[in-house]
Amino acid sequence: MFGWGSSGRTEVPAAPRGPLGVAIGGGIEIDTLSVQASLAGAATAIPVPSGGMMIVAAYGEARLDANTVLSRYYDADDTILQILSPGAAPGDPLLDVSLYRPWDSVIPANAAAWARWRGPAGLIGQPRYDADGLLFHRYWGEGEGRADLVEFVEDIDDGESRRAIHQSCMLYARPLGQAQEMLLINIERDLAAGAAQQGASVEFIIGYGLMAADVRRL
């Protein structure tokens, strides 16, 4: 999704990042046994992540409101460990933890194609989203009308360069087994001067909720 892990990095900065206090190049142990148990026998959109050690290739951060910061740890395959915390400082309490994997991506070709996704009657923000027969219900927003997308800028650092990615997104979910499978539909645009003229993409990302005890710094 973001293309981390291809720069041939030779030096690893030691600065701790986010509420887990993990440096780029550092490791995170992720336990997905509880997720696998809650989804046992269910037909998931993607294979349930196996967990284990995640090597952090990049770190992203965005303030959502006065009391909540979104932190994302990325590995070289674009697996995303997403954590909400009060301030993203090492040791902050983990308010919400989830694990995401890329599922699909669309680059609309023109204004009409973009309107189909995010126009006044666009697909993103509707109460339901049918992903090739998998029906997800909107997780954010109430009512039967189309909801406004959630927008923020995520600052992402891979240890060698920084990028600011504007994101307009909507979260959907569907009950599955004893848990939920989440679908984050995300419109991304790199705010760099050159990239901003190239338009954006629509990313489809599947995720599962974890408990705070399921993740720890190595």
Side-chain angles (χ1 to χ4, degrees), residues 3-174:
W4 307 115
S6 60
S7 61
R9 183 184 303 110
T10 58
E11 296 182 2
V12 178
R17 313 294 178 100
L20 294 181
V22 180
I24 295 171
I28 301 171
E29 181 71 25
I30 303 175
D31 185 351
T32 62
L33 290 178
S34 61
V35 174
Q36 294 180 43
S38 65
L39 294 170
T44 56
I46 63 174
V48 180
S50 58
M53 184 172 65
M54 173 185 187
I55 301 299
V56 177
Y59 172 74
E61 188 172 296
R63 177 162 288 281
L64 302 183
D65 57 40
N67 302 308
T68 312
V69 176
L70 176 147
S71 295
R72 286 174 172 167
Y73 297 93
Y74 298 88
D75 71 7
D77 295 322
D78 289 328
T79 296
I80 307 168
L81 177 62
Q82 177 175 291
I83 298 174
L84 302 183
S85 67
D92 264 7
L94 311 185
L95 305 178
D96 184 84
V97 182
S98 50
L99 189 64
Y100 285 90
R101 286 282 299 157
W103 189 30
D104 200 359
S105 181
V106 173
I107 301 178
N110 50 44
W114 271 113
R116 177 176 179 268
W117 289 105
R118 69 164 308 165
L123 294 172
I124 309 175
Q126 298 293 345
R128 287 162 290 279
Y129 184 80
D130 187 336
D132 295 328
L134 302 182
L135 185 61
F136 291 85
H137 295 265
R138 193 176 63 211
Y139 195 81
W140 296 334
E142 299 179 354
E144 285 299 310
R146 181 175 180 271
D148 291 336
L149 306 188
V150 174
E151 299 195 33
F152 57 87
V153 174
E154 181 182 1
D155 294 311
I156 306 178
D157 183 2
D158 69 353
E160 293 186 345
S161 61
R162 295 174 181 266
R163 297 165 63 190
I165 308 294
H166 181 274
Q167 302 180 41
S168 304
C169 54
M170 180 55 65
L171 183 64
Y172 291 83
R174 64 176 183 137

